[in-house]
């Protein structure tokens, strides 16, 4: 057996050095806000003690505001800063519509005047078009006015939940924080969602604390016939909790209440009736936590843009990619003259429910389960189509856009909830010979930096 003699001069281990504190954290300075950035925060520059010009991001301000700020955290190429004193505000500054505005991280732009807000959202759409390769004049001509959903219209939300020594908190995270804020009123969400939140707070207050602490989030969708609720928790509920939740669902007339533990599939605890939404006159069931357009008004604006394009294109064979439960599928098949639609979606539950609705309605739609990120439609499959419609998740549709650029049909309708991936995918299509004919920005996330985009493209 070998004996390894310890070197008496060897150290017992490296000393752990304390992290070096950024000397600018806590630095205070007056700034004049230069512009509102892509995330809805104000952008300014301050002179650091060493003479450098430092970029800062400031919440709840407008261009022209003069404020005293303190640098709080490193953020990208600059610093996040907090307003500690107001020096002067521009005339366009509006009193926020919500008492929680400065604390809650849900909204960024409630303090903007309505006209200024619409212009800012349209400018965001124009920037996305320019990043796809068009110049400023072309973007100005192509981008339509923004379709803005009204206050208290958002029909889906995820409430963060924290139960601890300070009580029950059901609401949203604070601005750039993990702290859960109680938000008893909201200027964005439908009243039905806020009424559920109030009832759920009372339910958790009556629960044994150890069981209530397991609940981390609750997601709520407002279907046409009631609320669909999914509780996300750390572990499975006990028998008493199951019984209490079933009674709770009946007391407040939920359509369905489900429980999801970690990565396990969700389990319905109270399925009183199937949540339904109507698309072009057809009732479609929604899976627990299933995707719906954020507002009915925003969905209507997008469907109107689609059906207007159909009148111009008059296609016979259409593909609806990333179709979900059919937000646009039935309009594509049934608006005006009936046409054949290939509907493609990767979520097996959405596919099953859409297939059932198609069978019940007798619509000329073929529903296919397929992961378009890994297996986009190929040249052979695209060759028989007159129109392709795609509305992917925030990651965009790069693989499918690359196939379309090579062998896509004459017409494409592209929709996106992420202007960055929208720009990338449109640039790919333009490099393949497509030209933008129309762009419609749709704002379903009022007073936030998010924006939906609709685009009509034609191969020249």
């Amino acid at each position: 057996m070998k004996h390894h003699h310890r070197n008496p001069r060897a150290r017992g281990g490296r000393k752990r050095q304390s992290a070096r504190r950024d000397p600018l954290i806590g630095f205070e300075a007056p700034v004049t806000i230069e512009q509102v950035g892509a995330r809805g925060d104000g952008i300014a520059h301050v002179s650091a003690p060493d003479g450098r010009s430092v970029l800062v991001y400031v919440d709840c301000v407008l261009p022209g505001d003069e404020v005293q700020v303190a640098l709080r955290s490193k953020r990208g190429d600059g610093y996040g800063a907090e307003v500690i004193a107001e020096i002067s505000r521009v005339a366009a500054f509006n009193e926020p519509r919500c008492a929680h505005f400065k604390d809650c991280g849900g909204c960024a732009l409630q303090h903007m005047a309505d006209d200024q807000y619409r212009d800012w959202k349209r400018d965001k759409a124009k920037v996305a078009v320019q990043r796809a390769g068009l110049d400023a004049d072309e973007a100005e001509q192509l981008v339509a006015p923004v379709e803005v959903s009204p206050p208290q219209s958002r029909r889906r939300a995820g409430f963060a939940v924290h139960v601890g020594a300070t009580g029950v908190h059901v609401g949203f995270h604070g601005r750039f924080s993990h702290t859960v804020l109680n938000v008893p009123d909201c200027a964005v969400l439908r009243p039905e969602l806020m009424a559920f939140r109030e009832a759920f707070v009372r339910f958790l207050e009556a629960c044994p604390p150890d069981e209530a602490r397991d609940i981390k989030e609750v997601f709520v969708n407002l279907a046409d016939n009631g609320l669909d609720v999914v509780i996300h928790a750390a572990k499975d509920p006990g028998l008493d909790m199951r019984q209490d939740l079933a009674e709770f669902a009946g007391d407040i007339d939920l359509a369905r209440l489900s429980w999801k533990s970690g990565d396990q599939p969700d389990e319905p605890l109270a399925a009183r009736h199937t949540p339904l939404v109507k698309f072009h006159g057809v009732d479609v069931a929604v899976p627990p936590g299933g995707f719906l357009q954020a507002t009915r008004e925003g969905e209507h604006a997008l469907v109107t843009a689609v059906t207007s394009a159909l009148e111009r294109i008059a296609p016979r064979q259409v593909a609806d990619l990333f179709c979900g439960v059919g937000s646009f599928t039935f309009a594509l098949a049934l608006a005006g003259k009936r046409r054949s639609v290939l509907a493609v979606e990767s979520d097996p539950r959405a596919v099953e429910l859409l297939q059932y609705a198609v069978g019940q309605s007798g619509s000329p739609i073929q529903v296919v389960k397929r992961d378009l990120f890994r297996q986009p439609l190929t040249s052979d499959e695209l060759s028989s189509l007159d129109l392709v419609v795609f509305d992917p998740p925030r990651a965009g549709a790069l693989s499918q856009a690359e196939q379309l650029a090579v062998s896509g049909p004459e017409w494409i309708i592209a929709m996106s909830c992420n202007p960055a991936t929208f720009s990338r995918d449109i640039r790919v299509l333009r490099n393949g010979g497509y030209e933008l004919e129309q762009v419609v920005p749709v704002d379903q996330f009022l007073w936030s930096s998010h924006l939906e985009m609709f685009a009509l493209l034609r191969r020249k």
Side-chain angles (χ1 to χ4, degrees):
M1 178 178 178
K2 291 186 177 180
H3 295 278
H4 297 279
H5 297 285
R6 179 182 175 85
N7 183 348
R9 305 170 84 182
R11 297 180 180 178
R14 292 185 180 179
K15 285 187 177 180
R16 187 174 180 180
Q17 296 182 350
S18 59
R20 182 177 298 176
R21 186 177 184 276
D22 190 321
L24 286 182
I25 300 300
F27 174 68
E28 298 181 7
V31 300
T32 300
I33 304 303
E34 301 159 17
Q35 60 179 308
V36 175
R39 292 172 61 174
D41 40 18
I43 295 177
H45 289 81
V46 300
S47 294
D50 61 4
R52 290 182 297 130
S53 178
V54 176
L55 181 67
V56 294
Y57 301 94
V58 188
D59 290 325
C60 312
V61 292
L62 294 175
D65 285 347
E66 296 181 34
V67 291
Q68 184 83 4
V69 301
L71 276 58
R72 296 303 188 202
S73 60
K74 193 76 176 74
R75 182 173 151 193
D77 53 353
Y79 289 82
E82 176 187 7
V83 175
I84 56 175
E86 297 181 2
I87 301 171
S88 67
R89 289 285 199 180
V90 297
F93 186 87
N94 268 4
E95 282 300 316
R97 282 75 158 180
C98 176
H100 314 289
F101 169 60
K102 291 187 177 181
D103 300 319
C104 176
C107 295
L109 297 163
Q110 284 190 18
H111 58 302
M112 262 191 180
D114 291 343
D115 290 344
Q116 186 182 19
Y117 173 75
R118 286 176 178 272
D119 289 343
W120 184 83
K121 282 280 172 114
R122 184 168 182 265
D123 287 343
K124 190 178 180 76
K126 289 192 292 184
V127 168
V129 170
Q130 291 177 65
R131 287 177 176 168
L134 286 82
D135 62 35
D137 290 339
E138 290 172 316
E140 175 64 37
Q141 292 177 358
L142 279 171
V143 178
V146 184
E147 300 279 352
V148 181
S149 296
Q152 294 188 312
S153 64
R154 187 167 174 182
R155 61 177 172 178
R156 59 181 171 90
F159 293 106
V161 178
H162 176 74
V163 179
T166 56
V168 173
H169 299 266
V170 178
F172 304 111
H173 289 110
R175 197 174 297 276
F176 302 112
S177 168
H178 294 293
T179 302
V180 179
L181 301 175
N182 266 325
V183 182
D185 58 331
C186 179
V188 174
L189 297 183
R190 289 281 299 258
E192 296 93 330
L193 274 66
M194 296 309 298
F196 164 80
R197 180 216 160 265
E198 182 179 355
F200 195 59
V201 168
R202 293 196 301 268
F203 173 82
L204 291 178
E205 288 173 343
C207 283
D210 288 344
E211 295 188 33
R213 286 191 194 99
D214 291 333
I215 297 175
K216 305 303 179 185
E217 292 178 289
V218 56
F219 289 87
V220 189
N221 265 342
L222 178 59
D224 293 348
N225 59 342
L227 291 173
D228 184 25
V229 176
V230 181
I231 294 172
H232 287 234
K235 61 183 182 182
D236 292 340
L239 180 59
D240 289 343
M241 176 64 87
R242 291 171 182 272
Q243 293 175 339
D244 291 344
L245 283 170
E247 292 179 10
F248 170 72
D251 291 342
I252 65 170
D253 195 26
L254 297 181
R256 179 174 59 202
L257 190 150
S258 305
W259 184 284
K260 182 173 174 59
S261 302
D263 295 329
Q264 299 299 314
D266 48 74
E267 176 192 358
L269 300 184
R272 303 178 64 248
H273 48 265
T274 301
L276 299 172
V277 289
K278 193 178 292 291
F279 298 134
H280 212 77
V282 178
D283 285 329
V284 184
V286 182
F291 174 80
L292 296 176
Q293 296 293 332
T295 69
R296 290 192 178 103
E297 293 82 356
E299 180 180 273
H300 176 74
L302 291 168
V303 171
T304 298
V306 169
T307 54
S308 297
L310 291 177
E311 294 175 4
R312 176 180 176 184
I313 299 168
R316 296 184 301 275
Q317 302 288 333
V318 180
D320 182 14
L321 310 183
F322 308 95
C323 66
V325 291
S327 299
F328 310 111
T329 310
F330 292 96
L332 289 167
L334 304 176
K337 294 182 179 180
R338 289 166 68 95
R339 56 192 66 83
S340 297
V341 174
L342 172 67
V344 185
E345 170 59 40
S346 62
D347 181 353
R349 294 188 300 182
V351 168
E352 181 182 352
L353 294 172
L354 182 54
Q355 285 174 332
Y356 180 80
V358 167
Q360 292 294 104
S361 65
S363 305
I365 299 168
Q366 178 189 1
V367 186
V368 174
K369 178 185 176 299
R370 181 164 172 171
D371 185 344
L372 291 165
F373 292 110
R374 294 186 173 89
Q375 192 182 3
L377 295 191
T378 62
S379 300
D380 290 343
E381 294 167 307
L382 294 168
S383 62
S384 62
L385 299 172
D386 306 307
L387 167 67
V388 167
V389 179
F390 65 84
D391 182 20
R394 290 187 61 79
L398 179 58
S399 296
Q400 189 61 74
E402 290 172 340
Q403 289 289 333
L404 288 166
V406 174
S407 53
E410 180 181 1
W411 294 93
I412 292 175
I413 291 175
M415 286 176 275
S416 175
C417 59
N418 183 349
T421 55
F422 171 87
S423 300
R424 180 202 65 198
D425 295 345
I426 297 301
R427 186 166 59 249
V428 169
L429 293 172
R430 292 189 69 250
N431 289 341
Y434 285 93
E435 291 187 8
L436 272 171
E437 300 265 327
Q438 180 189 17
V439 176
V440 180
V442 177
D443 182 14
Q444 300 194 69
F445 298 90
L446 189 61
W447 300 318
S448 79
S449 60
H450 296 291
L451 186 65
E452 303 269 344
M453 304 278 285
F454 167 97
L456 177 64
L457 301 99
R458 187 179 190 181
R459 188 186 290 279
K460 295 296 185 183

